[in-house]
Amino acid sequence: MEWIGVAGIVVGLVFFVIAAMKGWNVLVTSIVTAIIIAITNGMDIAAAMVGNESSYVTGLAGFVQKNIFIFLGGAILGEFMDKSGAAKSIAHAIMGKVGSKGAYLVLLGIAAVGAILTYAGISMFVAMFALIPLARPMFKECNIPWHLFCAAWTLGACSFTMAMIPGVPAVAWINAANGCGVSMTAAPIMGIVGSVIAIVVSCIYIKFALKRAQAKGEVYEITEADAVEQQDDKKIPNLLVSLLPLIVLIGVIIGGSIVGIANIVYIAMIIAVVLSMILFASYIPSQRDVMGNGAKNALGPVLFTSAAVGVGTVAAAAVGFQVIQGAIFNMPGGTYVSAATLSAVLGGVMGSGSGAVGIIATNFLDPYLATGVDPAALAKIIATAATIGGALPNSGAMFGMLAAMGLNHGNSYKHIAAISIGAGMCALVVMILMATVGII
């Protein structure tokens, strides 16, 4: 029965991945997947789906309960940054310094914008939509193939700011830190070293990709996106005002973590949102609409991510998963390697790094913590590995990001693979070695 259960889990998750890649609604497919797992593992379907313990519903509701205010605060802050023009102001300032001094500098400028905004918890989509209209003319002037925008953006928004860098208010890192009982700035040396490695490797790759594209004779191609571009003369805040809520957000998180204030990320989000309401009041027609739209924007991501956690909760209670977990837990390399492997596998299967961490924090942390490893190092490794796994082709975020850029998996996913996965793995290996020898 155990191996039938294992096969059922594999079949269910393969269905979940394929359905996600074909654009099926995640909430619907997650329910079907959970039922497949329950049936093949001999579970009571009603108990597995709506029971009071270890069920689809308890997993989904538990994740929402723990993370709704993170999603809500980030979405509302992102809406203020977007509608006020603050995100565009930051992007304009950085890209204005870069200008058209060279193709490589333009790409690094894009990465810098992405890193600044996503480090402050702003949605990568909000930041990306602010930057694309500014980037296209520069790509055109420097004759840079547009698919390289994906490479630069991935470095800034889908790499070290997902979990590695200390203090980042990203859902994956928040869940890992809370699950392991450590602060938002835990494992700072590992986080900084990992971030530096990811940045350096990614910059080398971007340089290589640019030279390869130029050697192939690739150029910037005019598309409909260029034709519909319009000059926006709306008044926007200056750079200092635009940055202030983000600086305060990160400053409060880091400062509060150092002095040991509980739930500091929630406090920081509230302060940043209130400050945005004050600073951006003259740039926004309706505070009510911004707050309302931000709240609505939070619902989809939190529900879809929690649906994946619901599937994981059912899988975790299945007899077949005990076989899988035992194999991973006892694999060679030690606790950190095992935890990283489990996190990456779940991140890849679910197409969501934050969803994978939510599953692990709910179901699988205790055996790892019981081995006596450092909780801070474990949290950093789990969050980093899960976000690497979450960058596989089935990730819903990757589909949305590429579509917004006017690109696709065929011409651009190679950049995501090289940076989010390749450079991320380089950083992760070093971080595991550091944790093993006690440099945390």
Side-chain angles (χ1 to χ4, degrees):
M1 182 62 189
E2 288 182 349
W3 290 106
I4 295 175
V6 172
I9 292 173
V10 172
V11 169
L13 295 180
V14 167
F15 162 76
F16 191 49
V17 170
I18 293 174
M21 295 183 70
K22 290 186 176 293
W24 283 72
N25 182 278
V26 173
L27 185 60
V28 173
T29 56
S30 69
I31 294 172
V32 175
T33 301
I35 292 174
I36 292 172
I37 292 172
I39 291 173
T40 55
N41 282 269
M43 304 167 73
D44 181 280
I45 296 177
M49 297 304 296
V50 297
N52 294 326
E53 293 183 5
S54 300
S55 68
Y56 174 87
V57 169
T58 57
L60 184 151
F63 186 86
V64 172
Q65 179 186 22
K66 293 176 182 177
N67 296 281
I68 182 63
F69 290 112
I70 298 299
F71 281 90
L72 188 64
I76 291 175
L77 180 59
E79 190 73 5
F80 271 106
M81 295 293 294
D82 182 23
K83 294 299 185 286
S84 67
K88 182 173 288 187
S89 176
I90 295 170
H92 197 279
I94 293 175
M95 298 311 292
K97 293 293 183 181
V98 172
S100 55
K101 297 177 182 178
Y104 187 54
L105 286 179
V106 168
L107 295 173
L108 294 185
I110 289 166
V113 173
I116 290 171
L117 294 178
T118 55
Y119 181 43
I122 302 302
S123 163
M124 68 176 180
F125 291 102
V126 169
M128 184 171 60
F129 287 133
L131 182 57
I132 285 176
L134 301 175
R136 281 194 177 277
M138 295 182 182
F139 271 62
K140 183 178 179 181
E141 183 175 348
C142 294
N143 210 16
I144 307 170
W146 181 244
H147 66 83
L148 290 175
F149 180 89
C150 178
W153 186 251
T154 300
L155 168 56
C158 307
S159 177
F160 65 99
T161 60
M162 298 289 284
M164 295 181 201
I165 192 166
V168 62
V171 175
W173 171 237
I174 292 170
N175 279 322
N178 289 342
C180 292
V182 298
S183 74
M184 292 290 292
T185 54
I189 301 175
M190 285 175 58
I192 292 171
V193 171
S195 297
V196 170
I197 291 172
I199 292 169
V200 171
V201 173
S202 298
C203 287
I204 293 171
Y205 170 77
I206 290 172
K207 185 75 169 179
F208 164 77
L210 174 62
K211 288 185 175 180
R212 182 174 59 181
Q214 291 172 334
K216 289 181 177 180
E218 295 180 10
V219 296
Y220 183 83
E221 297 179 357
I222 303 297
T223 65
E224 293 181 1
D226 296 275
V228 299
E229 276 187 16
Q230 298 179 349
Q231 184 67 31
D232 187 359
D233 294 326
K234 174 186 172 182
K235 181 183 177 183
I236 60 176
N238 63 43
L239 179 60
L240 179 59
V241 172
S242 300
L243 283 172
L244 193 56
L246 309 185
I247 294 172
V248 169
L249 174 69
I250 298 301
V252 171
I253 289 174
I254 294 175
S257 296
I258 292 173
V259 299
I261 298 176
N263 299 314
I264 187 60
V265 69
Y266 302 109
I267 299 171
M269 282 286 186
I270 293 172
I271 293 173
V273 168
V274 172
L275 187 58
S276 296
M277 294 175 66
I278 297 170
L279 294 176
F280 304 147
S282 61
Y283 303 96
I284 295 174
S286 171
Q287 298 263 8
R288 180 197 64 188
D289 290 347
V290 170
M291 295 283 283
N293 290 333
K296 285 188 290 186
N297 292 341
L299 294 180
V302 72
L303 185 59
F304 292 152
T305 304
S306 61
V309 174
V311 172
T313 303
V314 175
V319 294
F321 198 80
Q322 307 310 310
V323 177
I324 298 172
Q325 183 188 7
I328 293 177
F329 188 79
N330 295 311
M331 68 185 295
T335 301
Y336 293 125
V337 172
S338 171
T341 302
L342 179 64
S343 303
V345 168
L346 285 176
V349 166
M350 296 302 170
S352 167
S354 56
V357 175
I359 293 169
I360 293 168
T362 304
N363 301 285
F364 304 121
L365 275 181
D366 289 344
Y368 287 115
L369 290 171
T371 64
V373 295
D374 187 280
L378 182 65
K380 187 65 71 176
I381 287 169
I382 286 174
T384 300
T387 55
I388 291 171
L392 289 176
N394 59 295
S395 168
M398 297 305 156
F399 279 97
M401 185 176 77
L402 290 172
M405 293 176 185
L407 300 169
N408 56 57
H409 278 65
N411 58 27
S412 300
Y413 181 74
K414 59 190 175 185
H415 302 313
I416 298 172
I419 294 173
S420 290
I421 299 176
M425 283 298 297
C426 292
L428 179 61
V429 168
V430 174
M431 290 164 68
I432 290 174
L433 292 174
M434 291 176 66
T436 302
V437 300
I439 303 175
I440 298 169

